[in-house]
Amino acid sequence: MDVERQQQQQQPLPGTLSWRLSSHPITLLTFLTFRISSVLVYFFGLWVTASMIMIFIITILLLAADFYYLKNIAGRRLVGLRWWNEVDPQTGESKWVFESSEPGTKVVNATDSRFFWLSLYVQPLLWILLAVLAIVRLQFLWLPLVIIALVLTIMNTLAFSRCDKFSQASNLAGSALGTTNLAGSIATNLAGRWFSRN
């Protein structure tokens, strides 16, 4: 009886930030690796090596891999969301398509969802801090790289927020960040301005 009680106390609760509770641990770990590695390569590359070109190339490749993996694999497997852009061949107009899985067809793991939304909202904030750091240190040559990173990360954040129709995303991000409606209202306002309904 005591052994069972100890095992129950040692097991993390559903929704806890532990990759062991993930329904797709390989997808989650790959997703987190891409999200973290571009920031780390950029940040530590500034201190370790003097080769700006090498840091620029590696960071761009990691950002591109993160963008692709998040948009095409992680979003679909972890939270059942995806988005893409279609161009009408006759008119040439660009159309954004946002898709979420039907309720009841996919059960979203609370841990996967929490990791997904938290990392989705935190990474652009880290790049904003790195932009401020580059400006304060008068390293203006690094700003194009930081701007590229911001465009890619904010695009995915806004698109996935639009896919989720701001309900699940704002609730999870708000609870993870300790605020209830701040994340949702920011996502709603930004996405409403960037994406118009088609």
Side-chain angles (χ1 to χ4, degrees), residues 16-126:
T16 304
L17 291 176
S18 171
W19 67 271
R20 290 186 176 101
L21 294 176
S22 173
S23 297
H24 307 284
I26 293 173
T27 302
L28 178 64
L29 291 175
T30 306
F31 164 66
L32 292 175
T33 300
F34 282 136
R35 301 288 321 182
I36 295 167
S37 60
S38 59
V39 175
L40 291 180
V41 165
Y42 173 82
F43 186 73
F44 289 119
L46 294 175
W47 307 101
V48 174
T49 181
S51 175
M52 177 184 173
I53 295 171
M54 185 61 70
I55 296 169
F56 198 95
I57 291 170
I58 292 172
T59 304
I60 288 290
L61 290 174
L62 288 170
L63 285 167
D66 172 52
F67 184 85
Y68 176 84
Y69 193 80
L70 171 60
K71 180 180 170 301
N72 296 309
I73 299 167
R76 194 178 75 243
R77 294 198 73 194
L78 297 177
V79 290
L81 303 173
R82 65 184 190 155
W83 65 274
W84 65 93
N85 186 351
E86 293 178 349
V87 177
D88 186 348
Q90 295 176 350
T91 63
E93 289 184 18
S94 179
K95 177 183 176 186
W96 292 90
V97 180
F98 304 99
E99 184 177 281
S100 60
S101 58
E102 293 293 325
T105 59
K106 178 173 176 60
V107 177
V108 176
N109 181 311
T111 298
D112 290 340
S113 185
R114 193 162 188 197
F115 266 119
F116 181 84
W117 293 111
L118 186 60
S119 67
L120 202 68
Y121 286 121
V122 167
Q123 193 185 31
L125 295 176
L126 291 175

Side-chain angles (χ1 to χ4, degrees), residues 137-167:
R137 295 181 64 200
L138 303 176
Q139 295 178 328
F140 299 112
L141 289 175
W142 291 102
L143 284 179
L145 177 60
V146 175
I147 290 170
I148 291 169
L150 279 170
V151 167
L152 291 175
T153 56
I154 288 173
M155 176 66 75
N156 258 334
T157 302
L158 293 175
F160 277 108
S161 296
R162 181 71 176 203
C163 288
D164 196 50
K165 302 200 184 348
F166 317 117
S167 60

